[in-house]
PDB file of all heavy atoms in Angstrom:
ATOM      1  N   ALA Q  18      32.978 214.721 110.698  1.00 98.00           N
ATOM      2  CA  ALA Q  18      33.812 215.407 109.705  1.00 98.00           C
ATOM      3  C   ALA Q  18      33.290 215.084 108.313  1.00 98.00           C
ATOM      4  O   ALA Q  18      32.905 213.947 108.034  1.00 98.00           O
ATOM      5  CB  ALA Q  18      35.269 214.983 109.830  1.00 98.00           C
ATOM      6  N   ALA Q  52      23.675 213.020 120.740  1.00 95.00           N
ATOM      7  CA  ALA Q  52      24.796 213.910 120.427  1.00 95.00           C
ATOM      8  C   ALA Q  52      25.224 213.759 118.973  1.00 95.00           C
ATOM      9  O   ALA Q  52      25.577 214.736 118.304  1.00 95.00           O
ATOM     10  CB  ALA Q  52      25.975 213.615 121.354  1.00 95.00           C
ATOM     11  N   ILE Q  86      27.659 196.750 124.443  1.00 98.00           N
ATOM     12  CA  ILE Q  86      26.288 197.055 124.848  1.00 98.00           C
ATOM     13  C   ILE Q  86      25.412 195.823 124.636  1.00 98.00           C
ATOM     14  O   ILE Q  86      25.386 195.265 123.529  1.00 98.00           O
ATOM     15  CB  ILE Q  86      25.703 198.203 123.993  1.00 98.00           C
ATOM     16  CG1 ILE Q  86      26.674 199.385 123.909  1.00 98.00           C
ATOM     17  CG2 ILE Q  86      24.332 198.647 124.522  1.00 98.00           C
ATOM     18  CD1 ILE Q  86      26.522 200.199 122.646  1.00 98.00           C
ATOM     19  N   TRP Q 139      31.444 189.257 132.587  1.00 98.00           N
ATOM     20  CA  TRP Q 139      31.109 189.905 133.864  1.00 98.00           C
ATOM     21  C   TRP Q 139      29.624 190.252 133.928  1.00 98.00           C
ATOM     22  O   TRP Q 139      28.962 190.017 134.935  1.00 98.00           O
ATOM     23  CB  TRP Q 139      31.946 191.173 134.026  1.00 98.00           C
ATOM     24  CG  TRP Q 139      31.581 191.995 135.232  1.00 98.00           C
ATOM     25  CD1 TRP Q 139      32.019 191.817 136.511  1.00 98.00           C
ATOM     26  CD2 TRP Q 139      30.703 193.124 135.258  1.00 98.00           C
ATOM     27  NE1 TRP Q 139      31.466 192.763 137.341  1.00 98.00           N
ATOM     28  CE2 TRP Q 139      30.653 193.579 136.599  1.00 98.00           C
ATOM     29  CE3 TRP Q 139      29.963 193.801 134.294  1.00 98.00           C
ATOM     30  CZ2 TRP Q 139      29.883 194.672 136.993  1.00 98.00           C
ATOM     31  CZ3 TRP Q 139      29.186 194.884 134.680  1.00 98.00           C
ATOM     32  CH2 TRP Q 139      29.147 195.317 136.010  1.00 98.00           C
ATOM     33  N   THR Q 141      27.095 188.866 132.376  1.00 98.00           N
ATOM     34  CA  THR Q 141      26.232 187.685 132.502  1.00 98.00           C
ATOM     35  C   THR Q 141      26.198 187.171 133.936  1.00 98.00           C
ATOM     36  O   THR Q 141      25.186 186.613 134.378  1.00 98.00           O
ATOM     37  CB  THR Q 141      26.691 186.555 131.565  1.00 98.00           C
ATOM     38  OG1 THR Q 141      28.005 186.122 131.937  1.00 98.00           O
ATOM     39  CG2 THR Q 141      26.696 187.011 130.114  1.00 98.00           C
ATOM     40  N   GLY Q 198      30.536 179.650 128.498  1.00 97.00           N
ATOM     41  CA  GLY Q 198      29.086 179.527 128.609  1.00 97.00           C
ATOM     42  C   GLY Q 198      28.296 180.628 127.942  1.00 97.00           C
ATOM     43  O   GLY Q 198      27.119 180.846 128.266  1.00 97.00           O
ATOM     44  N   PRO Q 201      26.154 181.452 121.285  1.00 98.00           N
ATOM     45  CA  PRO Q 201      26.580 181.820 119.925  1.00 98.00           C
ATOM     46  C   PRO Q 201      25.681 182.887 119.293  1.00 98.00           C
ATOM     47  O   PRO Q 201      26.164 183.727 118.533  1.00 98.00           O
ATOM     48  CB  PRO Q 201      26.495 180.490 119.161  1.00 98.00           C
ATOM     49  CG  PRO Q 201      26.643 179.437 120.202  1.00 98.00           C
ATOM     50  CD  PRO Q 201      25.993 179.992 121.441  1.00 98.00           C
ATOM     51  N   SER Q 210      36.043 196.166 107.905  1.00 98.00           N
ATOM     52  CA  SER Q 210      35.733 197.589 108.036  1.00 98.00           C
ATOM     53  C   SER Q 210      35.607 198.209 106.648  1.00 98.00           C
ATOM     54  O   SER Q 210      36.414 197.954 105.763  1.00 98.00           O
ATOM     55  CB  SER Q 210      36.837 198.303 108.814  1.00 98.00           C
ATOM     56  OG  SER Q 210      36.929 197.809 110.131  1.00 98.00           O
ATOM     57  N   GLY Q 220      13.911 207.600 108.101  1.00 97.00           N
ATOM     58  CA  GLY Q 220      13.571 208.550 109.157  1.00 97.00           C
ATOM     59  C   GLY Q 220      14.748 209.414 109.552  1.00 97.00           C
ATOM     60  O   GLY Q 220      14.601 210.630 109.762  1.00 97.00           O
ATOM     61  N   LYS Q 232      25.229 205.480 101.599  1.00 98.00           N
ATOM     62  CA  LYS Q 232      25.632 204.152 102.070  1.00 98.00           C
ATOM     63  C   LYS Q 232      26.226 204.251 103.473  1.00 98.00           C
ATOM     64  O   LYS Q 232      26.948 205.199 103.792  1.00 98.00           O
ATOM     65  CB  LYS Q 232      26.633 203.530 101.110  1.00 98.00           C
ATOM     66  CG  LYS Q 232      26.084 203.256  99.709  1.00 98.00           C
ATOM     67  CD  LYS Q 232      27.151 202.662  98.821  1.00 98.00           C
ATOM     68  CE  LYS Q 232      26.608 202.290  97.443  1.00 98.00           C
ATOM     69  NZ  LYS Q 232      26.187 203.483  96.675  1.00 98.00           N
ATOM     70  N   LYS Q 266      51.342 201.896 115.545  1.00 96.00           N
ATOM     71  CA  LYS Q 266      50.541 200.966 114.751  1.00 96.00           C
ATOM     72  C   LYS Q 266      51.050 200.973 113.324  1.00 96.00           C
ATOM     73  O   LYS Q 266      51.512 202.007 112.831  1.00 96.00           O
ATOM     74  CB  LYS Q 266      49.060 201.364 114.758  1.00 96.00           C
ATOM     75  CG  LYS Q 266      48.365 201.204 116.113  1.00 96.00           C
ATOM     76  CD  LYS Q 266      46.922 201.661 116.021  1.00 96.00           C
ATOM     77  CE  LYS Q 266      46.174 201.437 117.324  1.00 96.00           C
ATOM     78  NZ  LYS Q 266      45.924 200.019 117.573  1.00 96.00           N
ATOM     79  N   GLU Q 272      51.152 188.175 109.976  1.00 95.00           N
ATOM     80  CA  GLU Q 272      50.857 188.429 111.386  1.00 95.00           C
ATOM     81  C   GLU Q 272      52.151 188.371 112.199  1.00 95.00           C
ATOM     82  O   GLU Q 272      52.982 187.490 112.008  1.00 95.00           O
ATOM     83  CB  GLU Q 272      49.873 187.383 111.898  1.00 95.00           C
ATOM     84  CG  GLU Q 272      49.472 187.580 113.351  1.00 95.00           C
ATOM     85  CD  GLU Q 272      48.542 186.484 113.843  1.00 95.00           C
ATOM     86  OE1 GLU Q 272      48.465 185.424 113.189  1.00 95.00           O
ATOM     87  OE2 GLU Q 272      47.895 186.689 114.892  1.00 95.00           O
ATOM     88  N   ARG Q 332      56.804 208.377 133.689  1.00 92.00           N
ATOM     89  CA  ARG Q 332      56.292 209.048 134.883  1.00 92.00           C
ATOM     90  C   ARG Q 332      55.408 208.144 135.740  1.00 92.00           C
ATOM     91  O   ARG Q 332      54.627 208.619 136.547  1.00 92.00           O
ATOM     92  CB  ARG Q 332      55.536 210.319 134.481  1.00 92.00           C
ATOM     93  CG  ARG Q 332      56.410 211.388 133.847  1.00 92.00           C
ATOM     94  CD  ARG Q 332      57.497 211.854 134.811  1.00 92.00           C
ATOM     95  NE  ARG Q 332      58.253 212.991 134.311  1.00 92.00           N
ATOM     96  CZ  ARG Q 332      59.476 212.909 133.807  1.00 92.00           C
ATOM     97  NH1 ARG Q 332      60.075 211.720 133.709  1.00 92.00           N
ATOM     98  NH2 ARG Q 332      60.109 213.994 133.398  1.00 92.00           N
ATOM     99  N   GLN Q 333      55.524 206.843 135.552  1.00 90.00           N
ATOM    100  CA  GLN Q 333      54.832 205.888 136.394  1.00 90.00           C
ATOM    101  C   GLN Q 333      55.725 204.672 136.554  1.00 90.00           C
ATOM    102  O   GLN Q 333      56.787 204.592 135.952  1.00 90.00           O
ATOM    103  CB  GLN Q 333      53.493 205.484 135.770  1.00 90.00           C
ATOM    104  CG  GLN Q 333      53.623 204.741 134.438  1.00 90.00           C
ATOM    105  CD  GLN Q 333      52.275 204.414 133.826  1.00 90.00           C
ATOM    106  OE1 GLN Q 333      51.587 205.271 133.335  1.00 90.00           O
ATOM    107  NE2 GLN Q 333      51.905 203.145 133.882  1.00 90.00           N
ATOM    108  N   GLU Q 336      56.928 199.539 132.525  1.00 95.00           N
ATOM    109  CA  GLU Q 336      56.785 199.766 131.090  1.00 95.00           C
ATOM    110  C   GLU Q 336      56.210 198.511 130.451  1.00 95.00           C
ATOM    111  O   GLU Q 336      56.460 197.389 130.901  1.00 95.00           O
ATOM    112  CB  GLU Q 336      58.146 200.113 130.469  1.00 95.00           C
ATOM    113  CG  GLU Q 336      58.116 200.431 128.985  1.00 95.00           C
ATOM    114  CD  GLU Q 336      57.215 201.610 128.644  1.00 95.00           C
ATOM    115  OE1 GLU Q 336      55.984 201.389 128.544  1.00 95.00           O
ATOM    116  OE2 GLU Q 336      57.736 202.727 128.479  1.00 95.00           O
ATOM    117  N   GLU Q 351      70.786 215.058 136.379  1.00 94.00           N
ATOM    118  CA  GLU Q 351      70.574 215.974 137.505  1.00 94.00           C
ATOM    119  C   GLU Q 351      71.314 217.289 137.266  1.00 94.00           C
ATOM    120  O   GLU Q 351      72.308 217.362 136.550  1.00 94.00           O
ATOM    121  CB  GLU Q 351      71.061 215.330 138.802  1.00 94.00           C
ATOM    122  CG  GLU Q 351      70.285 214.082 139.201  1.00 94.00           C
ATOM    123  CD  GLU Q 351      70.789 213.483 140.496  1.00 94.00           C
ATOM    124  OE1 GLU Q 351      71.763 214.027 141.070  1.00 94.00           O
ATOM    125  OE2 GLU Q 351      70.217 212.467 140.939  1.00 94.00           O
ATOM    126  N   VAL Q 385      60.426 198.610 108.055  1.00 96.00           N
ATOM    127  CA  VAL Q 385      59.613 199.800 108.330  1.00 96.00           C
ATOM    128  C   VAL Q 385      60.034 200.854 107.309  1.00 96.00           C
ATOM    129  O   VAL Q 385      61.118 201.422 107.398  1.00 96.00           O
ATOM    130  CB  VAL Q 385      59.836 200.300 109.769  1.00 96.00           C
ATOM    131  CG1 VAL Q 385      59.129 201.633 109.988  1.00 96.00           C
ATOM    132  CG2 VAL Q 385      59.361 199.262 110.782  1.00 96.00           C
ATOM    133  N   GLY Q 394      52.325 215.479 120.456  1.00 89.00           N
ATOM    134  CA  GLY Q 394      53.773 215.503 120.326  1.00 89.00           C
ATOM    135  C   GLY Q 394      54.254 215.782 118.922  1.00 89.00           C
ATOM    136  O   GLY Q 394      55.381 216.246 118.720  1.00 89.00           O
ATOM    137  N   TRP Q 400      60.873 218.423 117.807  1.00 97.00           N
ATOM    138  CA  TRP Q 400      60.741 217.013 118.194  1.00 97.00           C
ATOM    139  C   TRP Q 400      60.668 216.127 116.960  1.00 97.00           C
ATOM    140  O   TRP Q 400      61.244 215.042 116.914  1.00 97.00           O
ATOM    141  CB  TRP Q 400      59.506 216.814 119.068  1.00 97.00           C
ATOM    142  CG  TRP Q 400      59.581 215.629 119.989  1.00 97.00           C
ATOM    143  CD1 TRP Q 400      60.537 214.655 119.996  1.00 97.00           C
ATOM    144  CD2 TRP Q 400      58.683 215.304 121.049  1.00 97.00           C
ATOM    145  NE1 TRP Q 400      60.282 213.728 120.995  1.00 97.00           N
ATOM    146  CE2 TRP Q 400      59.145 214.106 121.650  1.00 97.00           C
ATOM    147  CE3 TRP Q 400      57.517 215.886 121.534  1.00 97.00           C
ATOM    148  CZ2 TRP Q 400      58.484 213.503 122.718  1.00 97.00           C
ATOM    149  CZ3 TRP Q 400      56.867 215.292 122.604  1.00 97.00           C
ATOM    150  CH2 TRP Q 400      57.340 214.118 123.183  1.00 97.00           C
ATOM    151  N   SER Q 419      42.330 213.371 112.673  1.00 91.00           N
ATOM    152  CA  SER Q 419      41.316 213.007 113.664  1.00 91.00           C
ATOM    153  C   SER Q 419      40.678 211.657 113.334  1.00 91.00           C
ATOM    154  O   SER Q 419      40.704 211.188 112.198  1.00 91.00           O
ATOM    155  CB  SER Q 419      40.223 214.083 113.730  1.00 91.00           C
ATOM    156  OG  SER Q 419      39.429 214.045 112.558  1.00 91.00           O
ATOM    157  N   GLY Q 464      74.265 208.409 120.777  1.00 97.00           N
ATOM    158  CA  GLY Q 464      73.361 208.613 121.899  1.00 97.00           C
ATOM    159  C   GLY Q 464      72.433 207.425 122.111  1.00 97.00           C
ATOM    160  O   GLY Q 464      72.168 207.029 123.251  1.00 97.00           O
TER     161      GLY Q 464
END
Side-chain angles (χ1 to χ4, degrees):
I86 312 152
W139 174 84
T141 63
S210 297
K232 296 179 176 66
K266 292 178 176 289
E272 181 183 17
R332 295 299 187 256
Q333 64 183 73
E336 183 59 279
E351 296 181 359
V385 173
W400 206 351
S419 71

